[in-house]
PDB file of all heavy atoms in Angstrom:
ATOM      1  N   LEU A  89      -5.314 -22.037 -20.487  1.00 95.00           N
ATOM      2  CA  LEU A  89      -4.800 -23.346 -20.206  1.00 95.00           C
ATOM      3  C   LEU A  89      -5.101 -23.806 -18.783  1.00 95.00           C
ATOM      4  O   LEU A  89      -5.428 -25.057 -18.471  1.00 95.00           O
ATOM      5  CB  LEU A  89      -3.297 -23.350 -20.370  1.00 95.00           C
ATOM      6  CG  LEU A  89      -2.717 -23.269 -21.807  1.00 95.00           C
ATOM      7  CD1 LEU A  89      -1.200 -23.096 -21.795  1.00 95.00           C
ATOM      8  CD2 LEU A  89      -3.145 -24.489 -22.618  1.00 95.00           C
ATOM      9  N   THR A  90      -5.036 -22.876 -17.798  1.00 93.00           N
ATOM     10  CA  THR A  90      -5.287 -23.133 -16.395  1.00 93.00           C
ATOM     11  C   THR A  90      -6.698 -23.719 -16.219  1.00 93.00           C
ATOM     12  O   THR A  90      -6.839 -24.845 -15.596  1.00 93.00           O
ATOM     13  CB  THR A  90      -5.200 -21.877 -15.588  1.00 93.00           C
ATOM     14  OG1 THR A  90      -3.855 -21.389 -15.579  1.00 93.00           O
ATOM     15  CG2 THR A  90      -5.567 -22.129 -14.063  1.00 93.00           C
ATOM     16  N   TYR A  91      -7.729 -23.155 -16.762  1.00 92.00           N
ATOM     17  CA  TYR A  91      -9.062 -23.529 -16.549  1.00 92.00           C
ATOM     18  C   TYR A  91      -9.545 -24.663 -17.424  1.00 92.00           C
ATOM     19  O   TYR A  91     -10.474 -25.371 -17.070  1.00 92.00           O
ATOM     20  CB  TYR A  91     -10.018 -22.327 -16.482  1.00 92.00           C
ATOM     21  CG  TYR A  91      -9.731 -21.449 -15.296  1.00 92.00           C
ATOM     22  CD1 TYR A  91      -9.054 -20.238 -15.333  1.00 92.00           C
ATOM     23  CD2 TYR A  91     -10.097 -21.871 -14.007  1.00 92.00           C
ATOM     24  CE1 TYR A  91      -8.783 -19.477 -14.230  1.00 92.00           C
ATOM     25  CE2 TYR A  91      -9.826 -21.164 -12.880  1.00 92.00           C
ATOM     26  CZ  TYR A  91      -9.140 -19.928 -12.986  1.00 92.00           C
ATOM     27  OH  TYR A  91      -8.856 -19.174 -11.908  1.00 92.00           O
ATOM     28  N   THR A  92      -8.920 -24.797 -18.509  1.00 93.00           N
ATOM     29  CA  THR A  92      -9.204 -25.962 -19.397  1.00 93.00           C
ATOM     30  C   THR A  92      -8.688 -27.216 -18.651  1.00 93.00           C
ATOM     31  O   THR A  92      -9.430 -28.214 -18.672  1.00 93.00           O
ATOM     32  CB  THR A  92      -8.469 -25.815 -20.815  1.00 93.00           C
ATOM     33  OG1 THR A  92      -8.965 -24.629 -21.492  1.00 93.00           O
ATOM     34  CG2 THR A  92      -8.730 -27.087 -21.643  1.00 93.00           C
ATOM     35  N   GLN A  93      -7.494 -27.143 -18.145  1.00 93.00           N
ATOM     36  CA  GLN A  93      -6.962 -28.181 -17.352  1.00 93.00           C
ATOM     37  C   GLN A  93      -7.829 -28.494 -16.097  1.00 93.00           C
ATOM     38  O   GLN A  93      -8.072 -29.641 -15.787  1.00 93.00           O
ATOM     39  CB  GLN A  93      -5.505 -27.931 -16.964  1.00 93.00           C
ATOM     40  CG  GLN A  93      -4.740 -29.149 -16.470  1.00 93.00           C
ATOM     41  CD  GLN A  93      -4.629 -29.211 -14.942  1.00 93.00           C
ATOM     42  OE1 GLN A  93      -5.016 -28.232 -14.250  1.00 93.00           O
ATOM     43  NE2 GLN A  93      -4.208 -30.305 -14.413  1.00 93.00           N
ATOM     44  N   LEU A  94      -8.295 -27.469 -15.468  1.00 90.00           N
ATOM     45  CA  LEU A  94      -9.026 -27.612 -14.203  1.00 90.00           C
ATOM     46  C   LEU A  94     -10.351 -28.358 -14.560  1.00 90.00           C
ATOM     47  O   LEU A  94     -10.815 -29.177 -13.781  1.00 90.00           O
ATOM     48  CB  LEU A  94      -9.379 -26.237 -13.668  1.00 90.00           C
ATOM     49  CG  LEU A  94     -10.302 -26.148 -12.463  1.00 90.00           C
ATOM     50  CD1 LEU A  94      -9.531 -26.646 -11.187  1.00 90.00           C
ATOM     51  CD2 LEU A  94     -10.848 -24.790 -12.213  1.00 90.00           C
ATOM     52  N   ILE A  95     -10.979 -28.041 -15.708  1.00 90.00           N
ATOM     53  CA  ILE A  95     -12.265 -28.605 -16.062  1.00 90.00           C
ATOM     54  C   ILE A  95     -12.129 -30.040 -16.586  1.00 90.00           C
ATOM     55  O   ILE A  95     -12.930 -30.914 -16.194  1.00 90.00           O
ATOM     56  CB  ILE A  95     -13.008 -27.704 -16.948  1.00 90.00           C
ATOM     57  CG1 ILE A  95     -13.278 -26.287 -16.396  1.00 90.00           C
ATOM     58  CG2 ILE A  95     -14.257 -28.367 -17.542  1.00 90.00           C
ATOM     59  CD1 ILE A  95     -13.783 -25.330 -17.448  1.00 90.00           C
ATOM     60  N   PHE A  96     -11.134 -30.269 -17.493  1.00 90.00           N
ATOM     61  CA  PHE A  96     -11.105 -31.516 -18.214  1.00 90.00           C
ATOM     62  C   PHE A  96     -10.080 -32.566 -17.764  1.00 90.00           C
ATOM     63  O   PHE A  96     -10.130 -33.725 -18.059  1.00 90.00           O
ATOM     64  CB  PHE A  96     -10.977 -31.237 -19.715  1.00 90.00           C
ATOM     65  CG  PHE A  96     -12.086 -30.430 -20.267  1.00 90.00           C
ATOM     66  CD1 PHE A  96     -11.973 -29.094 -20.589  1.00 90.00           C
ATOM     67  CD2 PHE A  96     -13.369 -30.959 -20.418  1.00 90.00           C
ATOM     68  CE1 PHE A  96     -12.991 -28.396 -21.131  1.00 90.00           C
ATOM     69  CE2 PHE A  96     -14.387 -30.312 -21.011  1.00 90.00           C
ATOM     70  CZ  PHE A  96     -14.232 -28.907 -21.320  1.00 90.00           C
ATOM     71  N   TYR A  97      -8.963 -32.000 -17.080  1.00 89.00           N
ATOM     72  CA  TYR A  97      -7.840 -32.940 -16.844  1.00 89.00           C
ATOM     73  C   TYR A  97      -7.398 -32.767 -15.362  1.00 89.00           C
ATOM     74  O   TYR A  97      -6.223 -32.529 -15.092  1.00 89.00           O
ATOM     75  CB  TYR A  97      -6.695 -32.586 -17.722  1.00 89.00           C
ATOM     76  CG  TYR A  97      -7.031 -32.653 -19.140  1.00 89.00           C
ATOM     77  CD1 TYR A  97      -7.319 -31.472 -19.911  1.00 89.00           C
ATOM     78  CD2 TYR A  97      -7.199 -33.921 -19.853  1.00 89.00           C
ATOM     79  CE1 TYR A  97      -7.596 -31.548 -21.280  1.00 89.00           C
ATOM     80  CE2 TYR A  97      -7.543 -33.958 -21.215  1.00 89.00           C
ATOM     81  CZ  TYR A  97      -7.685 -32.747 -21.940  1.00 89.00           C
ATOM     82  OH  TYR A  97      -8.099 -32.832 -23.202  1.00 89.00           O
ATOM     83  N   LEU A  98      -8.257 -32.952 -14.406  1.00 88.00           N
ATOM     84  CA  LEU A  98      -7.963 -32.794 -13.047  1.00 88.00           C
ATOM     85  C   LEU A  98      -8.453 -34.012 -12.230  1.00 88.00           C
ATOM     86  O   LEU A  98      -9.600 -34.039 -11.750  1.00 88.00           O
ATOM     87  CB  LEU A  98      -8.562 -31.496 -12.424  1.00 88.00           C
ATOM     88  CG  LEU A  98      -8.046 -31.058 -11.079  1.00 88.00           C
ATOM     89  CD1 LEU A  98      -6.618 -30.747 -11.065  1.00 88.00           C
ATOM     90  CD2 LEU A  98      -8.851 -29.943 -10.546  1.00 88.00           C
ATOM     91  N   ASN A  99      -7.598 -35.085 -12.130  1.00 87.00           N
ATOM     92  CA  ASN A  99      -8.020 -36.289 -11.484  1.00 87.00           C
ATOM     93  C   ASN A  99      -7.182 -36.794 -10.409  1.00 87.00           C
ATOM     94  O   ASN A  99      -7.545 -37.698  -9.616  1.00 87.00           O
ATOM     95  CB  ASN A  99      -8.090 -37.465 -12.647  1.00 87.00           C
ATOM     96  CG  ASN A  99      -9.057 -37.029 -13.745  1.00 87.00           C
ATOM     97  OD1 ASN A  99     -10.211 -36.774 -13.516  1.00 87.00           O
ATOM     98  ND2 ASN A  99      -8.576 -37.069 -14.967  1.00 87.00           N
ATOM     99  N   SER A 100      -5.948 -36.229 -10.280  1.00 90.00           N
ATOM    100  CA  SER A 100      -5.068 -36.639  -9.178  1.00 90.00           C
ATOM    101  C   SER A 100      -4.337 -35.523  -8.629  1.00 90.00           C
ATOM    102  O   SER A 100      -4.399 -34.356  -9.098  1.00 90.00           O
ATOM    103  CB  SER A 100      -4.020 -37.594  -9.879  1.00 90.00           C
ATOM    104  OG  SER A 100      -3.152 -36.936 -10.804  1.00 90.00           O
ATOM    105  N   PHE A 101      -3.477 -35.798  -7.541  1.00 91.00           N
ATOM    106  CA  PHE A 101      -2.809 -34.697  -6.919  1.00 91.00           C
ATOM    107  C   PHE A 101      -1.700 -34.116  -7.816  1.00 91.00           C
ATOM    108  O   PHE A 101      -1.436 -32.996  -7.777  1.00 91.00           O
ATOM    109  CB  PHE A 101      -2.169 -35.230  -5.600  1.00 91.00           C
ATOM    110  CG  PHE A 101      -1.466 -34.193  -4.825  1.00 91.00           C
ATOM    111  CD1 PHE A 101      -2.098 -33.127  -4.227  1.00 91.00           C
ATOM    112  CD2 PHE A 101      -0.066 -34.169  -4.715  1.00 91.00           C
ATOM    113  CE1 PHE A 101      -1.470 -32.118  -3.501  1.00 91.00           C
ATOM    114  CE2 PHE A 101       0.587 -33.203  -3.979  1.00 91.00           C
ATOM    115  CZ  PHE A 101      -0.132 -32.173  -3.444  1.00 91.00           C
ATOM    116  N   ILE A 102      -1.168 -34.969  -8.704  1.00 93.00           N
ATOM    117  CA  ILE A 102      -0.212 -34.443  -9.675  1.00 93.00           C
ATOM    118  C   ILE A 102      -0.836 -33.436 -10.592  1.00 93.00           C
ATOM    119  O   ILE A 102      -0.197 -32.405 -10.923  1.00 93.00           O
ATOM    120  CB  ILE A 102       0.445 -35.644 -10.526  1.00 93.00           C
ATOM    121  CG1 ILE A 102       1.160 -36.625  -9.615  1.00 93.00           C
ATOM    122  CG2 ILE A 102       1.355 -35.117 -11.588  1.00 93.00           C
ATOM    123  CD1 ILE A 102       2.309 -36.069  -8.884  1.00 93.00           C
ATOM    124  N   ASP A 103      -2.126 -33.709 -11.033  1.00 93.00           N
ATOM    125  CA  ASP A 103      -2.800 -32.758 -11.844  1.00 93.00           C
ATOM    126  C   ASP A 103      -3.114 -31.445 -11.031  1.00 93.00           C
ATOM    127  O   ASP A 103      -3.078 -30.413 -11.679  1.00 93.00           O
ATOM    128  CB  ASP A 103      -4.198 -33.312 -12.183  1.00 93.00           C
ATOM    129  CG  ASP A 103      -4.108 -34.578 -13.087  1.00 93.00           C
ATOM    130  OD1 ASP A 103      -3.078 -34.705 -13.787  1.00 93.00           O
ATOM    131  OD2 ASP A 103      -4.976 -35.423 -13.017  1.00 93.00           O
ATOM    132  N   LEU A 104      -3.272 -31.548  -9.727  1.00 93.00           N
ATOM    133  CA  LEU A 104      -3.474 -30.400  -8.900  1.00 93.00           C
ATOM    134  C   LEU A 104      -2.221 -29.583  -8.840  1.00 93.00           C
ATOM    135  O   LEU A 104      -2.293 -28.341  -8.897  1.00 93.00           O
ATOM    136  CB  LEU A 104      -3.903 -30.860  -7.485  1.00 93.00           C
ATOM    137  CG  LEU A 104      -4.487 -29.712  -6.605  1.00 93.00           C
ATOM    138  CD1 LEU A 104      -5.888 -29.337  -7.191  1.00 93.00           C
ATOM    139  CD2 LEU A 104      -4.673 -30.334  -5.203  1.00 93.00           C
ATOM    140  N   ILE A 105      -1.107 -30.210  -8.802  1.00 93.00           N
ATOM    141  CA  ILE A 105       0.162 -29.485  -8.811  1.00 93.00           C
ATOM    142  C   ILE A 105       0.371 -28.736 -10.177  1.00 93.00           C
ATOM    143  O   ILE A 105       0.747 -27.536 -10.151  1.00 93.00           O
ATOM    144  CB  ILE A 105       1.368 -30.363  -8.547  1.00 93.00           C
ATOM    145  CG1 ILE A 105       1.317 -30.990  -7.138  1.00 93.00           C
ATOM    146  CG2 ILE A 105       2.732 -29.680  -8.772  1.00 93.00           C
ATOM    147  CD1 ILE A 105       2.359 -32.083  -6.878  1.00 93.00           C
ATOM    148  N   LEU A 106       0.050 -29.423 -11.270  1.00 95.00           N
ATOM    149  CA  LEU A 106       0.230 -28.786 -12.616  1.00 95.00           C
ATOM    150  C   LEU A 106      -0.760 -27.598 -12.656  1.00 95.00           C
ATOM    151  O   LEU A 106      -0.363 -26.510 -13.211  1.00 95.00           O
ATOM    152  CB  LEU A 106      -0.184 -29.816 -13.668  1.00 95.00           C
ATOM    153  CG  LEU A 106      -0.232 -29.275 -15.088  1.00 95.00           C
ATOM    154  CD1 LEU A 106       1.054 -28.702 -15.498  1.00 95.00           C
ATOM    155  CD2 LEU A 106      -0.670 -30.351 -16.044  1.00 95.00           C
ATOM    156  N   ASN A 107      -1.940 -27.748 -12.100  1.00 93.00           N
ATOM    157  CA  ASN A 107      -2.881 -26.621 -12.146  1.00 93.00           C
ATOM    158  C   ASN A 107      -2.361 -25.372 -11.399  1.00 93.00           C
ATOM    159  O   ASN A 107      -2.535 -24.268 -11.833  1.00 93.00           O
ATOM    160  CB  ASN A 107      -4.237 -27.027 -11.548  1.00 93.00           C
ATOM    161  CG  ASN A 107      -5.257 -25.951 -11.624  1.00 93.00           C
ATOM    162  OD1 ASN A 107      -5.525 -25.254 -10.633  1.00 93.00           O
ATOM    163  ND2 ASN A 107      -5.859 -25.779 -12.778  1.00 93.00           N
ATOM    164  N   ALA A 108      -1.747 -25.641 -10.247  1.00 94.00           N
ATOM    165  CA  ALA A 108      -1.167 -24.529  -9.492  1.00 94.00           C
ATOM    166  C   ALA A 108      -0.086 -23.867 -10.204  1.00 94.00           C
ATOM    167  O   ALA A 108       0.077 -22.617 -10.237  1.00 94.00           O
ATOM    168  CB  ALA A 108      -0.610 -25.093  -8.132  1.00 94.00           C
ATOM    169  N   ILE A 109       0.726 -24.550 -11.017  1.00 94.00           N
ATOM    170  CA  ILE A 109       1.854 -24.014 -11.733  1.00 94.00           C
ATOM    171  C   ILE A 109       1.284 -23.154 -12.882  1.00 94.00           C
ATOM    172  O   ILE A 109       1.726 -22.053 -13.130  1.00 94.00           O
ATOM    173  CB  ILE A 109       2.727 -25.084 -12.299  1.00 94.00           C
ATOM    174  CG1 ILE A 109       3.477 -25.852 -11.156  1.00 94.00           C
ATOM    175  CG2 ILE A 109       3.769 -24.531 -13.257  1.00 94.00           C
ATOM    176  CD1 ILE A 109       4.265 -27.039 -11.611  1.00 94.00           C
ATOM    177  N   LEU A 110       0.278 -23.665 -13.617  1.00 94.00           N
ATOM    178  CA  LEU A 110      -0.361 -22.904 -14.723  1.00 94.00           C
ATOM    179  C   LEU A 110      -1.017 -21.661 -14.161  1.00 94.00           C
ATOM    180  O   LEU A 110      -0.907 -20.578 -14.739  1.00 94.00           O
ATOM    181  CB  LEU A 110      -1.429 -23.847 -15.350  1.00 94.00           C
ATOM    182  CG  LEU A 110      -0.886 -25.013 -16.243  1.00 94.00           C
ATOM    183  CD1 LEU A 110      -2.092 -25.877 -16.669  1.00 94.00           C
ATOM    184  CD2 LEU A 110      -0.049 -24.516 -17.449  1.00 94.00           C
ATOM    185  N   PHE A 111      -1.738 -21.816 -13.035  1.00 94.00           N
ATOM    186  CA  PHE A 111      -2.482 -20.676 -12.452  1.00 94.00           C
ATOM    187  C   PHE A 111      -1.507 -19.573 -12.078  1.00 94.00           C
ATOM    188  O   PHE A 111      -1.697 -18.389 -12.398  1.00 94.00           O
ATOM    189  CB  PHE A 111      -3.184 -21.208 -11.238  1.00 94.00           C
ATOM    190  CG  PHE A 111      -3.879 -20.112 -10.363  1.00 94.00           C
ATOM    191  CD1 PHE A 111      -5.123 -19.547 -10.777  1.00 94.00           C
ATOM    192  CD2 PHE A 111      -3.208 -19.443  -9.344  1.00 94.00           C
ATOM    193  CE1 PHE A 111      -5.734 -18.524 -10.002  1.00 94.00           C
ATOM    194  CE2 PHE A 111      -3.741 -18.421  -8.620  1.00 94.00           C
ATOM    195  CZ  PHE A 111      -5.008 -17.919  -8.975  1.00 94.00           C
ATOM    196  N   THR A 112      -0.326 -19.863 -11.434  1.00 94.00           N
ATOM    197  CA  THR A 112       0.622 -18.931 -10.994  1.00 94.00           C
ATOM    198  C   THR A 112       1.251 -18.244 -12.195  1.00 94.00           C
ATOM    199  O   THR A 112       1.538 -17.012 -12.099  1.00 94.00           O
ATOM    200  CB  THR A 112       1.720 -19.589 -10.180  1.00 94.00           C
ATOM    201  OG1 THR A 112       1.125 -20.378  -9.179  1.00 94.00           O
ATOM    202  CG2 THR A 112       2.507 -18.496  -9.432  1.00 94.00           C
ATOM    203  N   THR A 113       1.485 -18.936 -13.294  1.00 93.00           N
ATOM    204  CA  THR A 113       2.117 -18.345 -14.436  1.00 93.00           C
ATOM    205  C   THR A 113       1.148 -17.331 -15.089  1.00 93.00           C
ATOM    206  O   THR A 113       1.612 -16.164 -15.377  1.00 93.00           O
ATOM    207  CB  THR A 113       2.372 -19.399 -15.539  1.00 93.00           C
ATOM    208  OG1 THR A 113       3.243 -20.457 -14.995  1.00 93.00           O
ATOM    209  CG2 THR A 113       3.155 -18.789 -16.725  1.00 93.00           C
ATOM    210  N   TYR A 114      -0.101 -17.639 -15.270  1.00 92.00           N
ATOM    211  CA  TYR A 114      -1.036 -16.644 -15.741  1.00 92.00           C
ATOM    212  C   TYR A 114      -1.180 -15.495 -14.782  1.00 92.00           C
ATOM    213  O   TYR A 114      -1.177 -14.328 -15.148  1.00 92.00           O
ATOM    214  CB  TYR A 114      -2.469 -17.275 -15.998  1.00 92.00           C
ATOM    215  CG  TYR A 114      -3.577 -16.749 -15.230  1.00 92.00           C
ATOM    216  CD1 TYR A 114      -4.105 -15.481 -15.518  1.00 92.00           C
ATOM    217  CD2 TYR A 114      -4.257 -17.479 -14.208  1.00 92.00           C
ATOM    218  CE1 TYR A 114      -5.193 -14.939 -14.830  1.00 92.00           C
ATOM    219  CE2 TYR A 114      -5.250 -16.965 -13.466  1.00 92.00           C
ATOM    220  CZ  TYR A 114      -5.828 -15.724 -13.771  1.00 92.00           C
ATOM    221  OH  TYR A 114      -6.844 -15.191 -13.075  1.00 92.00           O
ATOM    222  N   ALA A 115      -1.250 -15.760 -13.467  1.00 90.00           N
ATOM    223  CA  ALA A 115      -1.459 -14.698 -12.521  1.00 90.00           C
ATOM    224  C   ALA A 115      -0.320 -13.806 -12.422  1.00 90.00           C
ATOM    225  O   ALA A 115      -0.433 -12.526 -12.104  1.00 90.00           O
ATOM    226  CB  ALA A 115      -1.765 -15.303 -11.156  1.00 90.00           C
ATOM    227  N   THR A 116       0.936 -14.288 -12.565  1.00 89.00           N
ATOM    228  CA  THR A 116       2.165 -13.457 -12.449  1.00 89.00           C
ATOM    229  C   THR A 116       2.132 -12.427 -13.580  1.00 89.00           C
ATOM    230  O   THR A 116       2.295 -11.193 -13.285  1.00 89.00           O
ATOM    231  CB  THR A 116       3.446 -14.276 -12.589  1.00 89.00           C
ATOM    232  OG1 THR A 116       3.504 -15.207 -11.495  1.00 89.00           O
ATOM    233  CG2 THR A 116       4.675 -13.384 -12.556  1.00 89.00           C
ATOM    234  N   PHE A 117       1.895 -12.771 -14.816  1.00 87.00           N
ATOM    235  CA  PHE A 117       1.762 -11.846 -15.888  1.00 87.00           C
ATOM    236  C   PHE A 117       0.656 -10.833 -15.613  1.00 87.00           C
ATOM    237  O   PHE A 117       0.826  -9.639 -15.871  1.00 87.00           O
ATOM    238  CB  PHE A 117       1.629 -12.555 -17.203  1.00 87.00           C
ATOM    239  CG  PHE A 117       2.766 -13.317 -17.729  1.00 87.00           C
ATOM    240  CD1 PHE A 117       2.707 -14.716 -17.889  1.00 87.00           C
ATOM    241  CD2 PHE A 117       3.928 -12.681 -17.985  1.00 87.00           C
ATOM    242  CE1 PHE A 117       3.763 -15.423 -18.371  1.00 87.00           C
ATOM    243  CE2 PHE A 117       5.020 -13.392 -18.491  1.00 87.00           C
ATOM    244  CZ  PHE A 117       4.969 -14.749 -18.665  1.00 87.00           C
ATOM    245  N   TYR A 118      -0.469 -11.325 -15.143  1.00 88.00           N
ATOM    246  CA  TYR A 118      -1.642 -10.466 -15.026  1.00 88.00           C
ATOM    247  C   TYR A 118      -1.417  -9.439 -13.855  1.00 88.00           C
ATOM    248  O   TYR A 118      -1.625  -8.252 -14.111  1.00 88.00           O
ATOM    249  CB  TYR A 118      -2.891 -11.340 -14.654  1.00 88.00           C
ATOM    250  CG  TYR A 118      -4.061 -10.492 -14.193  1.00 88.00           C
ATOM    251  CD1 TYR A 118      -4.743  -9.786 -15.134  1.00 88.00           C
ATOM    252  CD2 TYR A 118      -4.357 -10.299 -12.853  1.00 88.00           C
ATOM    253  CE1 TYR A 118      -5.822  -8.964 -14.760  1.00 88.00           C
ATOM    254  CE2 TYR A 118      -5.401  -9.574 -12.426  1.00 88.00           C
ATOM    255  CZ  TYR A 118      -6.201  -8.901 -13.388  1.00 88.00           C
ATOM    256  OH  TYR A 118      -7.173  -8.051 -13.027  1.00 88.00           O
ATOM    257  N   TRP A 119      -0.997  -9.901 -12.682  1.00 82.00           N
ATOM    258  CA  TRP A 119      -0.941  -8.991 -11.536  1.00 82.00           C
ATOM    259  C   TRP A 119       0.160  -7.930 -11.764  1.00 82.00           C
ATOM    260  O   TRP A 119       0.051  -6.770 -11.404  1.00 82.00           O
ATOM    261  CB  TRP A 119      -0.594  -9.775 -10.291  1.00 82.00           C
ATOM    262  CG  TRP A 119      -1.824 -10.408  -9.584  1.00 82.00           C
ATOM    263  CD1 TRP A 119      -2.076 -11.739  -9.619  1.00 82.00           C
ATOM    264  CD2 TRP A 119      -2.914  -9.770  -9.150  1.00 82.00           C
ATOM    265  NE1 TRP A 119      -3.308 -11.993  -9.023  1.00 82.00           N
ATOM    266  CE2 TRP A 119      -3.837 -10.756  -8.704  1.00 82.00           C
ATOM    267  CE3 TRP A 119      -3.302  -8.392  -8.951  1.00 82.00           C
ATOM    268  CZ2 TRP A 119      -5.028 -10.477  -8.121  1.00 82.00           C
ATOM    269  CZ3 TRP A 119      -4.487  -8.110  -8.325  1.00 82.00           C
ATOM    270  CH2 TRP A 119      -5.350  -9.144  -7.935  1.00 82.00           C
ATOM    271  N   ASN A 120       1.319  -8.354 -12.382  1.00 81.00           N
ATOM    272  CA  ASN A 120       2.376  -7.331 -12.571  1.00 81.00           C
ATOM    273  C   ASN A 120       1.899  -6.214 -13.554  1.00 81.00           C
ATOM    274  O   ASN A 120       2.175  -5.051 -13.310  1.00 81.00           O
ATOM    275  CB  ASN A 120       3.602  -8.039 -13.156  1.00 81.00           C
ATOM    276  CG  ASN A 120       4.343  -8.909 -12.166  1.00 81.00           C
ATOM    277  OD1 ASN A 120       3.953  -8.851 -10.942  1.00 81.00           O
ATOM    278  ND2 ASN A 120       5.277  -9.592 -12.619  1.00 81.00           N
ATOM    279  N   LEU A 121       1.163  -6.556 -14.565  1.00 82.00           N
ATOM    280  CA  LEU A 121       0.631  -5.548 -15.467  1.00 82.00           C
ATOM    281  C   LEU A 121      -0.470  -4.727 -14.826  1.00 82.00           C
ATOM    282  O   LEU A 121      -0.482  -3.522 -14.901  1.00 82.00           O
ATOM    283  CB  LEU A 121       0.106  -6.214 -16.713  1.00 82.00           C
ATOM    284  CG  LEU A 121      -0.572  -5.344 -17.773  1.00 82.00           C
ATOM    285  CD1 LEU A 121       0.430  -4.213 -18.259  1.00 82.00           C
ATOM    286  CD2 LEU A 121      -1.096  -6.108 -18.943  1.00 82.00           C
TER     287      LEU A 121
END
Side-chain angles (χ1 to χ4, degrees):
L89 289 174
T90 297
Y91 290 105
T92 299
Q93 192 261 351
L94 178 75
I95 296 169
F96 299 107
Y97 305 101
L98 192 65
N99 301 307
S100 67
F101 183 67
I102 299 299
D103 297 334
L104 197 65
I105 294 175
L106 175 59
N107 182 261
I109 296 172
L110 291 172
F111 174 85
T112 313
T113 305
Y114 121 70
T116 297
F117 289 119
Y118 170 77
W119 281 112
N120 288 351
L121 176 59

